[in-house]
Amino acid sequence: MLRAATREAVALTGHLLRYPSGIQPEQITDPGAAPPPATEGEGTGAPPVLLLHGFSDNRSTFVALRRSLLDNGWPHVHCVNHSLLTWDVHEAAELLGEHVDRVRRTTGHDRVDLVGHSLGGLIGRCFVQRLGGDAFVRTLVTLGTPHAGTYAAAALPPHPLARQMVPGSDLLGELAGPTGGGCATRFVNIWSEHDLFVLPAHHARLEHPDLAVTNVRVRGVGHLMLPVDATIAAWIRDELGAQPTLFGAAAERAGERAGPGRPDAAGAA
């Protein structure tokens, strides 16, 4: 726990220094005409990846993960900023849909992958589950997302987005409800036992009978470290590249995998 807290303090310092660089939204050029469809897979044919930040944050939180993907063969990695003037997750999900359409037109890919940190994971879920986004999203990776809500959100400034993360909110009830049919998106949910924002920590698990979900439990990694930890970045690449898992068939069938800080995991402390 002490090591996790120390790493979290380092991550916070680094993020505060990077924050100004991510205030301006990233510009995604739309050529107006779609190029020939690309072959989906790892390397130059990998589907585009869109990164979704959390509450009161911006795209600077993904500097390390974006570089990790670009350096390992993903040619299309984009960050989506949502403003503090965004008052509702549904509104942010609609904006995400516009970004997804633009990226699909720009790259020629039919589907994209999403990685959402904290609130960003709920925005991705809303798009996939409630706005028909599963037709366009192959995989949604969520990092430290309060899928069942977090009581820490009640201590945040009074903002509608914060209230939507409180356990029992209308949004969380909506996402927990039936999807209305088969959901074509695969979910990979990475949650930490040492996440001090998601309270209680197990509320970051994603359990839904209509969704194909793999939960990955990690230790020794705090909320802010989840998007910057090198081992987690490698696992995300592994999942998005559709490579065999690092943890074996038995763990995969159980729907729960080990993470950093566990004796059977790569990079264990």
Side-chain angles (χ1 to χ4, degrees), residues 15 18-23 57-64 79 81:
H15 188 48
R18 292 192 304 268
Y19 190 92
S21 67
I23 293 175
D57 210 339
N58 62 40
R59 61 191 176 91
S60 63
T61 196
F62 288 118
V63 168
C79 301
N81 271 13

Side-chain angles (χ1 to χ4, degrees), residues 6-269:
T6 301
R7 296 182 72 201
E8 192 77 342
V10 172
L12 175 61
T13 300
H15 188 48
L16 290 175
L17 293 173
R18 292 192 304 268
Y19 190 92
S21 67
I23 293 175
Q24 291 297 321
E26 177 182 329
Q27 299 299 315
I28 302 175
T29 303
D30 186 346
T39 301
E40 294 193 357
E42 193 174 7
T44 57
V49 179
L50 275 69
L51 307 175
L52 316 173
H53 65 78
F55 178 75
S56 75
D57 210 339
N58 62 40
R59 61 191 176 91
S60 63
T61 196
F62 288 118
V63 168
L65 179 57
R66 185 172 189 267
R67 176 51 55 192
S68 176
L69 289 167
L70 290 171
D71 287 349
N72 284 276
W74 274 261
H76 308 293
V77 184
H78 303 285
C79 301
V80 179
N81 271 13
H82 58 264
S83 167
L84 279 175
L85 299 178
T86 302
W87 294 91
D88 182 69
V89 166
H90 299 84
E91 177 186 344
E94 291 176 0
L95 178 62
L96 171 60
E98 296 176 7
H99 282 284
V100 169
D101 286 344
R102 188 175 301 115
V103 168
R104 290 173 60 238
R105 288 194 302 267
T106 301
T107 64
H109 281 272
D110 291 333
R111 305 184 83 190
V112 304
D113 291 331
L114 302 179
V115 179
H117 177 232
S118 195
L119 176 66
L122 294 180
I123 294 171
R125 279 188 67 189
C126 187
F127 174 63
V128 166
Q129 291 183 232
R130 312 308 299 177
L131 300 181
D134 65 315
F136 311 112
V137 178
R138 186 187 68 156
T139 300
L140 170 57
V141 179
T142 57
L143 307 170
T145 292
H147 292 290
T150 171
Y151 291 104
L156 293 174
H159 191 286
L161 288 179
R163 290 197 293 269
Q164 288 182 313
M165 291 187 286
V166 175
S169 73
D170 290 344
L171 171 73
L172 296 178
E174 179 184 347
L175 293 178
T179 62
C183 180
T185 297
R186 170 175 171 262
F187 289 77
V188 178
N189 178 53
I190 300 175
W191 69 283
S192 173
E193 294 182 352
H194 294 142
D195 190 325
L196 298 181
F197 174 73
V198 182
L199 300 175
H202 68 265
H203 274 201
R205 280 184 52 85
L206 175 54
E207 298 179 354
H208 194 296
D210 299 337
L211 303 179
V213 182
T214 297
N215 281 290
V216 182
R217 182 180 69 252
V218 303
R219 292 179 180 172
V221 181
H223 191 74
L224 295 177
M225 277 297 298
L226 286 167
V228 300
D229 183 88
T231 301
I232 291 176
W235 294 344
I236 292 173
R237 297 197 310 267
D238 183 67
E239 293 292 347
L240 299 185
Q243 298 300 309
T245 67
L246 301 176
F247 304 98
E252 180 69 17
R253 283 195 299 271
E256 180 79 57
R257 300 208 319 240
R262 299 187 63 83
D264 54 348

